[in-house]
Amino acid sequence: MKKAYALAFAGALLSSLAGATANAADARAGRQKITTCQACHGLDGVSKNPEAPNLAGQIEGYLVKALAEYKSGARKNETMNIVAKDLSDQDMADIAAYYSSIQVDVLPP
């Protein structure tokens, strides 16, 4: 029974995140918009900075939601609040589409 609740919760969460990408996102356009992002999150979305998370392979809806929250100030990070404030909804969708399109292979230790 616990497994069914967990699956239902995961499905609801993914559905809500998917709704955040209502714009037609363009990963190629997103690639052109990440110049500022690369300073902290790496050239390929894999950060060399321990203070910045990896963005490569991240869930698209999550990235859109996070950027929107940084822009609105609901999510606090001094650098990200400044960077996100000038992003349009289309910019956020395109950037998220780009980073989510990067294939990440995870290998067990």
Side-chain angles (χ1 to χ4, degrees), residues 2-102:
K2 289 181 183 179
K3 189 174 185 179
Y5 286 122
L7 289 174
F9 176 74
L13 178 62
L14 289 174
S15 294
S16 69
L17 291 175
T21 60
N23 296 342
D26 182 349
R28 286 184 187 201
R31 173 69 180 98
Q32 302 303 314
K33 297 176 182 182
I34 64 162
T35 306
T36 303
C37 309
Q38 291 174 333
C40 296
H41 298 286
L43 296 174
D44 55 2
V46 177
S47 178
K48 307 294 185 259
N49 177 351
E51 301 285 320
N54 296 328
L55 299 180
Q58 188 58 266
I59 297 169
E60 186 173 348
Y62 171 79
L63 291 173
V64 171
K65 183 177 185 298
L67 286 169
E69 289 173 350
Y70 284 125
K71 181 176 180 168
S72 73
R75 192 168 180 170
K76 305 288 186 203
N77 177 281
E78 188 176 336
T79 302
M80 285 303 301
N81 293 133
I82 292 168
V83 171
K85 73 178 171 80
D86 293 327
L87 296 176
S88 69
D89 289 346
Q90 189 65 52
D91 292 337
M92 290 185 274
D94 293 345
I95 290 167
Y98 171 70
Y99 279 123
S100 69
S101 72
I102 299 171

